[in-house]
Amino acid sequence: RQCHRQRCHNPCMFTGIISGVGRITQVEALGTDASHGKRLTIEAPAHYLDDVQLGDSIALNGACMTVTRFDREPARFTIDISAESLDKTAGLDQPGRINLEKALRAHDRLGGHIVSGHVDGVGSVAHFAPVGESWELRILAPAELAKFMAYKGSVTVNGVSLTVNRVADVAGGCEISINLIPHTIDHTALGELKAGSRVNLEIDLIARYVERMLGAAPPAA
């Protein structure tokens, strides 16, 4: 796991409640070979950047990034993303709609769950279809993340805080089932997913610490 900010100077937190849907409009290579990253230009909703400053953190599809340049009118900003981060995430290497969330402030409501903006792995959509008024989203999570998925636990999918309704262990990982209400479809970019889409996953922060505590070696006598 890594921090996906090209210039990581402060830790940041999010809630997984998407505050706007933007669009990557330009992807510019920062060098001539695979070791170089890219510069992304993102269009944001009107007035979205009114309270943003240079160096602020904005999560793009769940990956914490640093604003390197911005214009308030029209609302757009740039970020620099390393080749390593591009390799460990999905949906940040080409134009398209993207979920946006500004970093949590101390007085904000924690409407979702505690999210770090560090992508732990990339899953793939196995099924996405309407069920009644809602949508069922089933995702294949990689083996290294399977043990962190739990019934009624939290998971972040492309930056969106969601509740796991079912977990089934399968070869190579596990399949999680999630219910998306119409509000989530209407106010995020998740509605554009389809079978085979790759998605950024972040496991629950508490589960990460529990795993570390249970796996740590006892102190030397």
Side-chain angles (χ1 to χ4, degrees):
R1 189 175 59 87
Q2 53 160 349
C3 182
H4 298 282
R5 302 173 67 188
Q6 189 78 340
R7 300 176 178 86
C8 184
H9 48 81
N10 285 311
C12 46
M13 286 292 172
F14 303 89
T15 69
I17 302 299
I18 300 306
S19 54
V21 177
R23 180 177 292 275
I24 298 175
T25 59
Q26 185 176 354
V27 179
E28 175 188 357
L30 294 176
T32 57
D33 59 53
S35 66
H36 291 95
K38 298 185 185 297
R39 177 166 295 144
L40 309 183
T41 300
I42 299 102
E43 289 183 352
H47 305 295
Y48 188 81
L49 303 176
D50 285 357
D51 61 348
V52 168
Q53 302 296 325
L54 286 178
D56 280 0
S57 300
I58 297 179
L60 310 182
N61 271 3
C64 179
M65 299 291 166
T66 299
V67 175
T68 57
R69 184 174 62 81
F70 70 94
D71 299 309
R72 290 197 168 94
E73 185 60 40
R76 60 190 176 193
F77 64 98
T78 65
I79 65 97
D80 291 349
I81 180 171
S82 68
E84 173 69 11
S85 291
L86 286 168
D87 183 59
K88 297 297 190 294
T89 60
L92 301 181
D93 58 351
Q94 58 190 349
R97 297 177 77 226
I98 195 166
N99 294 321
L100 304 176
E101 185 186 356
K102 300 172 190 174
L104 180 68
R105 295 173 295 190
H107 63 278
D108 287 340
R109 289 187 176 95
L110 186 60
H113 69 283
I114 297 175
V115 175
S116 68
H118 298 163
V119 175
D120 291 299
V122 175
S124 62
V125 175
H127 175 83
F128 188 47
V131 178
E133 78 286 355
S134 300
W135 289 68
E136 182 188 22
L137 173 63
R138 297 203 300 265
I139 298 172
L140 293 172
E144 61 269 20
L145 301 186
K147 63 182 176 181
F148 298 104
M149 303 297 174
Y151 172 66
K152 297 304 180 184
S154 297
V155 65
T156 307
V157 179
N158 277 358
V160 185
S161 172
L162 297 168
T163 300
V164 176
N165 291 328
R166 189 173 67 251
V167 180
D169 292 321
V170 297
C174 73
E175 181 182 87
I176 58 174
S177 177
I178 297 165
N179 181 71
L180 300 180
I181 62 174
H183 179 87
T184 303
I185 295 293
D186 292 341
H187 292 86
T188 72
L190 294 183
E192 297 186 356
L193 296 176
K194 57 186 178 181
S197 294
R198 299 172 73 240
V199 292
N200 296 321
L201 301 176
E202 181 182 336
I203 61 174
D204 183 67
L205 186 65
I206 296 174
R208 183 179 295 137
Y209 281 111
V210 170
E211 192 267 346
R212 169 61 180 163
M213 287 186 290
L214 293 178

